[in-house]
Amino acid sequence: MNTSLQLTFLTIRNRIQLPGADEGSYKKGDTFQGELVGGPTYGVFLIANGTPNQFLEQNPKNEQKQWRTPKAYFFNLAANPDRTSHAKVLSSTVTNPNQASDVKVLPSIEYGFEDLYGGGDQDFDDLIVKIETLAVETII
């Protein structure tokens, strides 16, 4: 198993599940929220045509197969079954170093994903993920 394939499988198998986000029956405009602990590195991905569990059962090698087979798309082109870009940064904010608070709002970033094999229509609006980071200063 090549490195990209191993990372793809492990990323999806070890994903952090957001309430409601793993079921796969979404409507346009649905939102999900979750909190992540600081420290680890997180990866963002899209499963097209299925849920993460369906992907792991039906296409764990992330192969092209039939068009309705679940596929995983990442920022890493080598991890995508078509080696095509399926994600891009839509927007990001800069930090404000002059905030007068113990809670600092750090840069936020918004990613857009394309869900069709071969790059689709390149609108990058099939999944939008916004990550906002907060840091609490602790004075010892």
Side-chain angles (χ1 to χ4, degrees), residues 17-79:
Q17 298 182 31
L18 297 177
D22 260 12
E23 284 108 36
S25 57
Y26 316 119
K27 296 181 297 302
K28 185 174 184 171
D30 282 354
T31 61
F32 305 96
Q33 284 187 325
E35 290 187 21
L36 305 173
V37 298
T41 300
Y42 296 99
V44 182
F45 61 89
L46 165 74
I47 302 292
N49 303 316
T51 66
N53 286 336
Q54 289 169 333
F55 169 84
L56 292 170
E57 292 166 9
Q58 299 172 23
N59 192 16
K61 292 183 178 179
N62 208 21
E63 299 172 317
Q64 178 180 351
K65 296 192 174 187
Q66 299 173 358
W67 71 279
R68 285 253 179 225
T69 303
K71 293 171 192 62
Y73 296 118
F74 299 85
F75 272 90
N76 178 354
L77 299 182

Side-chain angles (χ1 to χ4, degrees), residues 119-137:
D121 56 12
Q122 295 287 295
D123 59 7
F124 297 96
D125 69 354
D126 300 307
L127 171 68
I128 297 175
V129 176
K130 183 174 184 178
I131 298 175
E132 296 176 318
T133 308
L134 299 176
V136 178
E137 289 185 352

Side-chain angles (χ1 to χ4, degrees), residues 2 7 48 61 67 72 76 87 99 101 103-104 107 114 127 132:
N2 71 37
L7 289 174
K61 292 183 178 179
W67 71 279
N76 178 354
Q99 293 171 327
S101 169
V103 177
K104 303 291 184 198
E114 176 56 51
L127 171 68
E132 296 176 318

Side-chain angles (χ1 to χ4, degrees), residues 90-123:
L90 299 177
S91 67
S92 65
T93 61
V94 295
T95 187
N96 179 0
N98 298 319
Q99 293 171 327
S101 169
D102 287 344
V103 177
K104 303 291 184 198
V105 179
L106 301 173
S108 69
I109 192 160
E110 192 171 75
Y111 302 102
F113 282 84
E114 176 56 51
D115 68 346
L116 296 175
Y117 188 87
D121 56 12
Q122 295 287 295
D123 59 7

